[in-house]
Amino acid sequence: MTQQAERAIHLTSHHDTAGAALQALQTQKGELRERLRRAAPESGAIYEVGQRLFALREEGAFLLETPAATRGGGLQRRSAAGAASTASTASPTNTTSLPRPARAAQGDQRDAAFFAWTHAHFALGEDQCRKYLRVAQAFLPGEVVGATLGIESLNQIALCDLRLRPLLWSLAADARLSSGALAEKRLAG
């Protein structure tokens, strides 16, 4: 097989893989849109949306639809010889060779790109998206399935000290306190 034929096969294979990843992302976006449209709060569905958003952010799938300029286009760093080089921000895993401040800056750029992407595709602002991510990280599925709390109440419970969670769950679920009242109780400790 000629080198040109091998290169064509490699490019076709890479294109197929990228196409499959983009198709998978489109499917995930459609499912998220549907879950976000539900009117009645169902805590399990809210938790699942948070889990899916968390996975998309961690895996970097959203970068398939994010222009390089939005990601920051790369970080400048100097080699030992003093020449500038660019570290790509497109790769979600290519950060370990960067110094700690550069990794933090790259993470900030990536988060900014993720929040811009969620705003563009789901009309979720950064604060609202962070609430979903917080709920996904704070609870186990068994804690939320069957509950009928909305994102605001779940967020207040996620923010509270672990010792206060049973009390806030009871106040939210049984007494149907608003998220503002839950915030007051959480802050009063």
Side-chain angles (χ1 to χ4, degrees):
M1 185 178 294
T2 68
Q3 189 176 17
Q4 198 171 28
E6 287 177 3
R7 181 177 291 150
I9 290 170
H10 174 72
L11 289 175
T12 302
S13 172
H14 177 70
H15 178 70
D16 290 346
T17 303
L22 194 54
Q23 180 60 37
L25 178 61
Q26 296 303 324
T27 301
Q28 290 175 334
K29 284 175 24 185
E31 291 170 355
L32 275 172
R33 271 192 206 95
E34 180 59 34
R35 292 199 181 281
L36 286 167
R37 283 189 192 124
R38 293 188 178 166
E42 201 283 296
S43 303
I46 291 168
Y47 172 81
E48 189 174 313
V49 166
Q51 287 288 310
R52 288 175 185 228
L53 287 169
F54 186 82
L56 288 168
R57 185 182 78 173
E58 292 303 303
E59 294 166 3
F62 69 95
L63 293 171
L64 293 169
E65 295 184 332
T66 306
T70 307
R71 293 190 301 263
L75 299 173
Q76 290 290 322
R77 59 180 176 172
R78 298 256 171 213
S79 67
S85 65
T86 302
S88 172
T89 58
S91 172
T93 58
N94 187 20
T95 61
T96 55
S97 63
L98 296 174
R100 188 176 305 257
R103 282 195 310 254
Q106 190 175 34
D108 291 347
Q109 288 176 341
R110 185 173 169 189
D111 278 351
F114 175 73
F115 294 127
W117 180 82
T118 58
H119 186 265
H121 292 280
F122 306 113
L124 277 180
E126 181 176 342
D127 290 339
Q128 197 70 6
C129 187
R130 285 185 186 278
K131 291 174 187 177
Y132 280 97
L133 295 172
R134 187 176 298 119
V135 165
Q137 291 177 300
F139 299 110
L140 297 172
E143 294 176 294
V144 295
V145 172
T148 57
L149 302 180
I151 185 63
E152 300 300 331
S153 295
L154 287 170
N155 181 57
Q156 288 303 320
I157 296 169
L159 286 168
C160 79
D161 184 294
L162 290 174
R163 296 171 293 184
L164 292 177
R165 278 194 184 170
L167 173 64
L168 263 63
W169 267 109
S170 175
L171 292 172
D174 301 333
R176 303 307 290 175
L177 266 104
S178 69
S179 59
L182 291 173
E184 288 179 25
K185 296 285 188 194
R186 177 180 58 84
L187 295 173

